[in-house]
């Protein structure tokens, strides 16, 4: 009976539940429940960054409907039954297991990433303020005191030597004083560099992301990493604050794969970069004073060069990391709005962020990590010499490209800059080579100063004159436009045609007589007796001696000749208002009066008749230019109007300007100038050219030679180069090279020894500073010694190996 009762009860409950679904009365939630539902809805929506949408199989539960007469406990029981059924469906479909695994992975990833956020917040976007770190302050202070004490000892010793009369130690004293000041302000200088790079980064972030009013320095580690996934909203929208980085990443298209890829290929590698960058800066800031002191005592500037190179690269690594972050935040923001490169391709920016992070790590290896490892291998010098050598090689490559660009553009200035850069790059490489022997050379120079040069004799240091007195430093190519010269304009038409055409324009046929000076007064008296009716046909100018006869007065010429006047210089032509065209010989326009009427008449002639101007070209060039232009009729229609008469080219005046431009371009020639380098540090080139100008024998060569202000090099046209070499060798052959020391002493080299000559030789060559010569000779000696040592060591090793082999045989 009881079993039947329970079965009946269950059937009644199911029936009631079925009937409740048919009713349309909605159960209203309480206000607090409604707010909770809305908040949950916002949270879920914000977890899906636009344009990523929720999966299609996600079902949103509908509001339950029940009848007014159903008890609440019955409705709760039915809801629980529904939940059990849904859970069973999820279990059978695998969704429950998937959600469990996904939740576990997200939990583990969030726990793993939590300790990394502080490093991202403090040192990823901006360089840490190392001067404010207590460890740095205490460590730097300790080594600053040590450095100042050592430098003070060095300064005191040098001052004592200078007081004793060792004036040449003054330069060393200056180095110690500079290092003394640099030691005290070193941390301040490093901090200024940090502040500057951070200011640049902040301005770039605002420009790239397009936001203002955001304190990027105060961003948390999670915000920095979230922004690369959801864009600028990850910084500005508070809705994302409730989600962890793992939850936010897994909600994007790609799920766990994106999460693990982002963790392994972006977060962890960039975390290592951020931490390593900070540690390098801290370590360098603490020990900077030791490197400054070491540079002062050894005179090896390569240490400071290596320090500056490594510190600058570390700062740039931080700036590049920040710019990489800003770029992909901007890309993700645009993608969320359906704009930009990624939206056009339909690929989420997080994929590009992962790939670009790998590229960035490869770049960091070559740009920063490898130089860092090399500096660690040379902790004393920080590999500064190699840095300078690399800069010199890159400069040489850049100068080659710049020279090529200058030749293509025809720019003489660019080519000169390129050759100067090339020479400076070579000197950098030479300076890097000298840095490697600088310590030994510094000791040798100090010993030479203290011993008066005797130590050099003991070591067998030999002095030599320059091995090359003149060397080529390259060429520059300049396109020189040849200015075209012209003859007088002529009318290219027959005399009969000229008479007919100009007659229609109101011109008259006249005779023009050029009277001799001695007969002009007599001719004036003769013309005063003419009848009045003839005076309109006669024009006479006693000042110029020009007599124009027209109409019936043309018969006056034989009469004038019979009366003893010279009428041999008479010309027939057309005349109007002071403009005359000669028909006897060359049909040219002559203006007999300086008036507007004459100019207007000349313009009438030019419009009515074909006027041509002779182009004065070199012999044989006229025909070549004419035939070359005939092939370009389609490009220049006026070419068909050109005239070639007896190897003379005539240009139509209507197109004279354009034809001149084209011809000058065709006649342009490429001239070459050769750069010649004089011996380094020499100062005799200007006086040599002045001597040439005074002598007057090579005046033309002196005019075309372009000497640099520092007298290190000159530019000579290629056609004068051979002459310059002969004159240069002739000039220096019988002269004595001399060097001047800081104390005023003049040295010449005799038997590979510098000898104090007292005064500059009368016929001498000023070779510049003796101290520079001394450095070069000491460096050369040290390099030779190292080379011999390297050659001897392999020989000794071979002898030892042979001895061991003989012992084993025995």
């Amino acid at each position: 009976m009881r079993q039947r009762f329970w079965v009946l009860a269950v059937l009644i409950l199911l029936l009631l539940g079925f009937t409740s679904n048919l009713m349309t009365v909605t159960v209203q939630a309480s206000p607090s429940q409604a707010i909770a539902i809305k908040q949950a809805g916002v949270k879920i929506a914000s977890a899906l960054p636009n344009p990523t949408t929720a999966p299609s199989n996600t079902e949103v539960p509908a509001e339950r409907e029940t009848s007014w007469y159903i008890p609440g406990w019955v409705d709760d029981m039915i809801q629980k039954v529904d939940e059990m059924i849904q859970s069973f469906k999820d279990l059978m479909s695998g969704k429950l297991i998937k959600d469990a695994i996904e939740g576990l992975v997200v939990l583990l990833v969030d726990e793993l990433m939590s300790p990394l956020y502080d490093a991202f917040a403090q040192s990823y976007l901006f360089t840490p303020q190392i001067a404010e770190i207590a460890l740095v302050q205490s460590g730097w202070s300790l080594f600053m005191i040590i450095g100042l004490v050592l430098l003070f000892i060095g300064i005191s010793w040098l001052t004592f030597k200078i007081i004793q009369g060792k004036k040449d130690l003054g330069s060393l004293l200056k180095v110690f004083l500079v290092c003394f000041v640099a030691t005290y302000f070193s941390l301040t200088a490093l901090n200024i560099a940090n502040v500057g790079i951070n200011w640049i980064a902040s301005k770039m972030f605002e420009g790239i992301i397009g936001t203002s009013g955001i304190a990027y320095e105060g961003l948390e580690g999670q915000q920095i990493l979230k922004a690369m996934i959801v864009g600028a909203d990850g910084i500005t929208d508070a809705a994302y604050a409730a989600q962890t980085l793992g939850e936010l990443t897994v909600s994007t298209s790609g799920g766990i794969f994106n999460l693990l890829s982002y963790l392994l290929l972006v977060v962890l590698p960039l975390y290592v970069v951020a931490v390593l960058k900070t540690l390098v800066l801290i370590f360098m800031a603490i020990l900077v004073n030791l490197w400054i002191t070491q540079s002062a005592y050894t005179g090896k500037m390569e240490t400071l060069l290596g320090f500056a190179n490594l510190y600058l690269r570390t700062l740039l690594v931080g700036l590049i990391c920040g710019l990489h972050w800003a770029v992909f935040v901007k890309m993700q923001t645009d993608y969320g709005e359906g704009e930009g490169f990624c939206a056009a391709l339909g690929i989420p920016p997080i994929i590009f962020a992962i790939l670009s992070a790998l590229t960035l790590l490869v770049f960091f290896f070559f740009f920063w990590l490898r130089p860092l490892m090399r500096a660690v291998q040379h902790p004393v010098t920080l590999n500064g010499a190699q840095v300078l050598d690399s800069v010199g090689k890159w400069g040489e490559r850049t100068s080659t490209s710049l020279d090529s660009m200058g030749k293509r553009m025809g720019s003489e200035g660019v080519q000169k800059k390129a050759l100067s850069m090339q020479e400076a790059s070579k000197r950098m490489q030479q300076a890097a080579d000298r840095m490697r022997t600088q310590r030994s050379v510094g000791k040798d120079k100090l010993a030479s100063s203290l011993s008066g040069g005797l130590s050099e004799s003991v070591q067998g240091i030999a002095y030599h004159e320059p091995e090359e007195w003149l060397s080529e430093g390259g060429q520059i190519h300049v396109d020189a436009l040849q200015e075209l010269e012209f003859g007088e304009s002529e009318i290219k038409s027959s005399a009969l045609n000229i008479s007919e055409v100009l007659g229609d324009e109101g011109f008259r046929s006249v005779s023009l007589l050029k009277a001799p000076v001695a007969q002009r007064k007599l001719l004036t008296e003769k013309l005063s007796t003419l009848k009045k009716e003839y005076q309109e046909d006669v024009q006479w100018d006693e000042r110029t001696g020009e007599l124009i006869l027209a109409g019936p007065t043309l018969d006056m010429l034989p009469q004038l000749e019979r009366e003893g006047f010279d009428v041999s210089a008479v010309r027939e032509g057309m005349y109007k208002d002071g403009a005359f065209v000669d028909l006897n010989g060359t049909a040219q326009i002559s203006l007999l009066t300086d008036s507007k009427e004459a100019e207007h008449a000349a313009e009438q002639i030019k419009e009515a008749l074909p006027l041509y101007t002779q182009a004065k070209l070199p012999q044989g060039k006229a025909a070549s230019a004419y035939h070359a232009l005939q092939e370009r009729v389609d490009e220049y229609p006026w070419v068909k109007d050109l005239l070639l008469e007896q190897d003379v080219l005539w240009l139509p005046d209507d197109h004279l300007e354009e034809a001149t431009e084209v011809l000058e371009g065709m006649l342009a020639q490429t001239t070459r100038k050769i750069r010649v380098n004089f011996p380094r540090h020499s100062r005799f080139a200007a006086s040599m050219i002045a001597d040439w100008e005074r002598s007057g024998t090579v005046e033309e060569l002196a005019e075309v030679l372009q000497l640099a202000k520092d007298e290190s090099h000159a530019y000579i046209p290629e056609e004068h180069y051979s002459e310059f070499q002969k004159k240069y060798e002739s000039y220096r052959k019988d002269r004595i090279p001399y060097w001047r020391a800081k104390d005023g002493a003049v040295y010449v080299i005799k038997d590979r020894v510098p000898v104090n000559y007292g005064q500059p030789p009368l016929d001498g060559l000023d070779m510049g500073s003796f101290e520079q010569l001394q450095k070069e000779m000491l460096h050369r000696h040290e390099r030779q010694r190292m080379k011999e040592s390297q050659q001897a060591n392999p020989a000794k090793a071979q002898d030892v190996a042979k001895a061991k082999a003989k012992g084993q045989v025995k």
Side-chain angles (χ1 to χ4, degrees), residues 383-395:
N383 205 32
Q386 184 61 35
V387 171
L388 187 61
D389 188 51
S390 299
V391 172
K393 291 178 180 178
W394 277 104

Side-chain angles (χ1 to χ4, degrees), residues 30-51:
S30 66
S32 61
Q33 290 174 336
I35 294 174
I37 292 172
K38 289 182 180 180
Q39 291 179 347
V42 171
K43 179 179 177 182
I44 293 173
S46 65
L48 301 176
N50 190 20

Side-chain angles (χ1 to χ4, degrees), residues 673-803:
K673 293 182 180 179
I674 300 175
R675 170 171 170 151
V676 292
N677 297 324
F678 299 108
R680 195 177 179 191
H681 308 302
S682 65
R683 292 290 183 271
F684 66 85
S687 59
M688 177 184 69
I689 296 174
D691 289 345
W692 288 353
E693 291 176 344
R694 284 193 297 268
S695 65
T697 56
V698 286
E699 185 176 354
E700 183 181 359
L701 179 60
E703 290 178 356
V704 299
L705 190 145
Q706 300 175 358
L707 181 65
K709 292 182 179 180
D710 59 357
E711 301 184 44
S712 62
H713 63 277
Y715 288 95
I716 304 160
E718 187 178 29
E719 58 270 20
H720 294 278
Y721 183 60
S722 178
E723 179 187 1
F724 170 79
Q725 285 181 309
K726 294 178 182 178
K727 295 297 182 182
Y728 177 78
E729 291 298 327
S730 175
Y731 178 84
R732 74 160 195 89
K733 182 175 60 176
D734 298 326
R735 295 178 182 266
I736 302 174
Y738 68 90
W739 290 260
R740 194 187 298 272
K742 289 183 179 179
D743 58 0
V746 175
Y747 290 91
V748 298
I749 297 175
K750 292 185 177 180
D751 295 331
R752 300 189 297 177
V753 176
V755 178
N756 193 336
Y757 203 75
Q759 297 296 328
L762 185 61
D763 293 331
L765 290 176
D766 187 356
M767 302 301 294
S769 168
F770 174 75
E771 285 74 16
Q772 293 291 343
L773 173 68
Q774 186 182 35
K775 283 184 179 180
E776 290 182 5
M777 297 301 104
L778 292 175
H779 279 292
R780 177 186 293 183
H781 177 76
E782 183 63 21
R783 287 195 299 269
Q784 183 64 27
R785 187 189 63 79
M786 293 174 62
K787 183 178 179 180
E788 293 175 353
S789 176
Q790 292 175 357
Q791 291 176 349
N793 288 337
K796 291 181 179 179
Q798 290 178 1
D799 293 340
V800 171
K802 290 179 180 179

Side-chain angles (χ1 to χ4, degrees), residues 13-25:
L13 289 175
L14 291 176
L15 181 62
L16 290 175
F18 176 75
T19 56
S20 66
N21 289 333
L22 299 178
M23 303 301 290
T24 58
V25 180

Side-chain angles (χ1 to χ4, degrees), residues 616-650:
K616 292 185 176 180
L617 298 174
Q619 186 176 6
K621 293 288 186 180
S624 300
Y626 175 80
H627 294 299
L629 287 172
Q630 292 302 317
E631 298 178 358
R632 303 172 68 180
V633 176
D634 295 337
E635 186 178 359
Y636 304 113
W638 50 265
V639 167
K640 57 187 177 184
D641 296 331
L642 294 177
L643 294 178
L644 183 65
E645 297 178 350
Q646 298 178 354
D647 207 21
V648 175
L649 183 63
W650 295 90

Side-chain angles (χ1 to χ4, degrees), residues 408-436:
R408 286 180 177 271
M409 296 186 298
S411 173
E412 182 176 355
V414 172
Q415 293 178 70
K416 286 183 177 180
K417 290 290 185 183
L419 294 182
S420 298
M421 183 186 296
Q422 185 179 28
E423 190 66 24
S425 300
K426 290 180 180 178
R427 291 181 180 178
M428 281 186 185
Q429 296 177 56
Q430 295 171 359
D433 187 47
R434 289 195 297 271
M435 281 183 178
R436 298 183 179 96

